[in-house]
Amino acid sequence: MANLKKKNQMEFLEIKESRNTSDVKYQRAKARIAEMKKFYSSLMSYALFMAFLAALNYYTNGWNYMWFLWAVFGWGIGLVFKAIKVFGLNPFFGRGWEERKIQEFMEEDEQQNRWN
């Protein structure tokens, strides 16, 4: 009887743990999608505003001095950094870098503590 009760508790814990894992993954995916939506919204704003500035530049002095390019360059730099953050395009710490390092340190710790 005690074995059956213990087995049921273990099954319950396994089910609860798998639900928590899937909930965490769902929340992470949802947060990532929100960041991507925010980026695309910023990209759309950028395109519309730069088109407006280009039209204003052309209206005021033709293409004699293209001052709107300063805004294109400045805002574009910020947009590039945001894209790097959202899509994980960092050349130094690429996708999965953190997880690989955690796994590496865990294996190293396991090797060191194996005989203790």
Side-chain angles (χ1 to χ4, degrees):
M1 185 73 169
N3 267 348
L4 184 58
K5 190 173 184 179
K6 188 174 183 179
K7 184 179 178 184
N8 287 340
Q9 285 177 341
M10 293 297 288
E11 288 175 358
F12 175 74
L13 289 174
E14 287 175 8
I15 291 170
K16 189 174 180 181
E17 185 176 304
S18 69
R19 283 186 185 160
N20 286 341
T21 303
S22 65
D23 288 345
V24 168
K25 288 180 182 179
Y26 175 77
Q27 292 299 327
R28 259 194 255 150
K30 192 173 179 179
R32 183 142 187 234
I33 295 297
E35 286 293 318
M36 290 173 77
K37 283 173 61 176
K38 198 173 175 183
F39 170 75
Y40 287 126
S41 174
S42 296
L43 184 63
M44 183 64 74
S45 298
Y46 172 78
L48 291 174
F49 194 71
M50 292 308 130
F52 170 74
L53 285 181
L56 183 64
N57 187 165
Y58 182 75
Y59 178 75
T60 57
N61 68 356
W63 296 123
N64 293 332
Y65 177 66
M66 291 190 250
W67 51 262
F68 79 97
L69 291 177
W70 290 104
V72 168
F73 181 69
W75 196 346
I77 289 174
L79 207 54
V80 166
F81 282 118
K82 191 169 195 166
I84 288 171
K85 179 184 173 196
V86 170
F87 296 109
L89 303 173
N90 193 335
F92 302 109
F93 304 110
R95 281 192 181 180
W97 175 84
E98 185 175 354
E99 286 148 18
R100 285 192 310 269
K101 280 305 208 183
I102 288 171
Q103 190 68 27
E104 180 183 317
F105 288 140
M106 287 173 58
E107 289 172 3
E108 188 178 293
D109 189 50
E110 184 179 312
Q111 291 294 328
Q112 290 177 353
N113 293 327
R114 177 169 275 174
W115 304 107
N116 292 339

